[in-house]
Structure formats: structure tokens, C-alpha cells
Amino acid sequence: MPMSLEEYQIAQMYMVMKMQQQSTSSTEGVEVLENRPLEDDVFGKCQYTSKVYRLQSKAPTWLTTFAPADALIMQEEAWNAYPRCKTVIKCPYFTKFSLTVETIHRADNGQSENVHGLTKEQLAVRQVEYIDIASAETDYWSYAIGSNSMDFSNFKSVRTGRGPLLDGWQDRCKPVMTAYKLVTVDAPYWGFGYRLEQALLAGERALFLESHRNCFGWIDDWFGITMQQIRELELQSDFSLNKKIGMPTVMTTSED
């Protein structure tokens, strides 16, 4: 990402708010159950969130042949101890399913090795993918999640002067940072578990690409916003989301 670690923290929070607002209607979208500071045994001081994602219309056709429309109602818990974060997603319909995303953010160009400290056994089965925000995908999940059509080879930020992103931009941009994500998915279901795992991994990859393209594409919207301002906007967004989807308002708090 062509930004500093401090800038990315604001960019990511702004992006989450805006994408949630864009994807939420009276029947689908994001419901925020909790958003509060937490002293965690593992992460220490962090921001804890609990959300429900109602994604019925995005279910692939093969899944709807044997599962009801609400099979893509997901429950998410997240611990944000930036620059370290963890997200756990579960599905009430598939009770054995779980998807975990552990993220470490570093001020580098994506060349750090074994950032998550995996064992030799884990490294042997790990699959590494490099996601370049200057690229674009056209697969099913990219279509389902939504596609930022901005061409970063012609994009230049008005407020920061950053861009365009041409071949090899990661080695030339200053500042630059990388989000290292460790995704673990478990769907122990005979007959379709592997297909479900692969579909969800593809969905996560498309979401990572789209969300981070938006982080940079919206840089002139969020650049200069303070942490206090973004927290206030986040609380307003949580209230608006729950009102839009017709759910009770939940008290949300934050600390810096």
C-alpha cells in the first residue's frame, strides 16, 4: 500500500465504514452488535467488535441447491490491536465452519519472510499469494463483492500527489506498507467441505483486493482525518447501519 502505517490505520477504518454503508439495505448487510475498547489476555489493549453479516444474495448457485438462503449469515468477532489484528468468522448454519484472519501490518514492500512465525510444518502446507492493488480481477467473487473500476495506472491523488501505480511501484513508492494476512479456514463437511473452503478463500481474496483498492482510491476523502474524528464517524456509522437494517441500536464506545 502506498501509505504509512499510521495513514493505513485511518484508511482502513474509513474504508470499512464506507463499504458497509454501500452494502447494507433493509434486508442485507452489516449489523453492529458491539464496538468497544477491551483489555484482552492475548492482544492487550484493543478495540473489540462483534458484527453479523447478512449476505444471502451473494451465495453461489451450487450452495443454494442444498442450503437455505440464510446459509450466508455470518457472525464476526474482531480484535484490533493495530498493527496486529485478528478476525474470526463463523456461520450458524454450518456450525463446524470457521474462518480466521490474522493480520500483521509492517512498513515494508511485502518482502518480509514468515511474519506470523509459523512452524516448519505450517510453512510446508502454507500457500502464499501476493495481492497487488494495482491489479483487478473478474471472477465470480469480485463481481459479487463489487469492483472498484479505477485504473491506478492513470490515478494521481490530488491531496498527496501519490500515484500512478505502474509496474514495480512497490519498490519505488515512499511511504509504503504491507498487510500480511494469515487466513485459516476449516469446513469439515463430507462431500462439499473442500468446495466450501475454496469458495470462501476466493471470497476473502476478492474482499482483500477490493477493500485495499478502495483504501487507496479514496485517499483524498480520508487523508488528514484524525483518529478522534474517525472514531466519531465510526460510531455514527454503526448507528446508521443498524437503523438501516432495522436492528436495535447497540451502545458503542471507543478509546485511543
Side-chain angles (χ1 to χ4, degrees):
M1 299 293 291
M3 59 190 70
S4 68
L5 282 176
E6 294 75 19
E7 290 169 345
Y8 176 82
Q9 187 176 18
I10 300 294
Q12 193 263 350
M13 294 173 68
Y14 180 87
M15 172 272 296
V16 169
M17 285 190 301
K18 189 167 181 176
M19 288 186 68
Q20 286 180 164
Q21 290 289 346
Q22 290 178 341
S23 63
T24 299
S25 65
S26 60
T27 57
E28 280 195 344
V30 185
E31 174 191 354
V32 181
L33 303 180
E34 291 187 76
N35 185 354
R36 59 184 174 86
L38 177 70
E39 283 287 345
D40 185 75
D41 293 339
V42 176
F43 294 98
K45 185 178 180 181
C46 64
Q47 191 75 13
Y48 170 80
T49 57
S50 174
K51 301 177 183 179
V52 174
Y53 290 85
R54 305 176 191 278
L55 309 171
Q56 298 93 312
S57 69
K58 301 187 186 302
T61 304
W62 65 265
L63 182 60
T64 62
T65 60
F66 63 89
D70 61 2
L72 273 190
I73 293 180
M74 302 290 187
Q75 296 175 341
E76 176 196 275
E77 288 185 290
W79 297 261
N80 187 342
Y82 192 80
R84 183 184 176 198
C85 308
K86 180 178 180 178
T87 300
V88 177
I89 299 174
K90 296 186 177 181
C91 177
Y93 185 80
F94 298 109
T95 56
K96 298 178 182 179
F97 162 81
S98 67
L99 187 149
T100 302
V101 181
E102 299 171 77
T103 308
I104 295 176
H105 303 86
R106 286 194 175 179
D108 65 24
N109 65 350
Q111 298 303 311
S112 293
E113 294 290 338
N114 197 16
V115 170
H116 293 275
L118 301 182
T119 65
K120 289 183 179 180
E121 293 76 15
Q122 290 171 322
L123 289 172
V125 297
R126 179 189 64 169
Q127 297 178 6
V128 178
E129 287 200 44
Y130 293 92
I131 299 178
D132 180 0
I133 65 167
S135 66
E137 302 289 344
T138 57
D139 60 11
Y140 168 80
W141 284 107
S142 298
Y143 173 78
I145 290 171
S147 180
N148 180 331
S149 60
M150 188 174 294
D151 180 0
F152 287 137
S153 67
N154 294 315
F155 172 83
K156 190 176 184 67
S157 164
V158 174
R159 301 186 65 183
T160 68
R162 297 174 199 172
L165 301 184
L166 304 176
D167 288 345
W169 66 267
Q170 301 93 331
D171 299 323
R172 297 189 298 270
C173 281
K174 301 292 181 182
V176 67
M177 56 79 58
T178 301
Y180 292 90
K181 292 184 177 289
L182 176 63
V183 181
T184 306
V185 61
D186 187 22
Y189 291 96
W190 184 86
F192 69 94
Y194 177 78
R195 191 174 186 183
L196 180 61
E197 288 179 358
Q198 293 304 304
L200 290 167
L201 285 173
E204 284 296 301
R205 187 189 189 285
L207 179 60
F208 294 156
L209 178 59
E210 177 68 6
S211 60
H212 286 79
R213 281 174 59 82
N214 286 336
C215 278
F216 184 53
W218 295 334
I219 189 170
D220 289 336
D221 296 335
W222 58 257
F223 188 80
I225 295 179
T226 65
M227 179 57 69
Q228 180 179 351
Q229 290 172 328
I230 200 70
R231 286 295 187 197
E232 291 173 355
L233 290 172
E234 188 178 55
L235 298 182
Q236 295 172 16
S237 178
D238 291 350
F239 176 83
S240 174
L241 286 172
N242 287 357
K243 185 177 180 181
K244 187 184 295 186
I245 206 168
M247 295 298 173
T249 301
V250 177
M251 180 63 69
T252 56
T253 58
S254 61
E255 291 181 358
D256 296 334

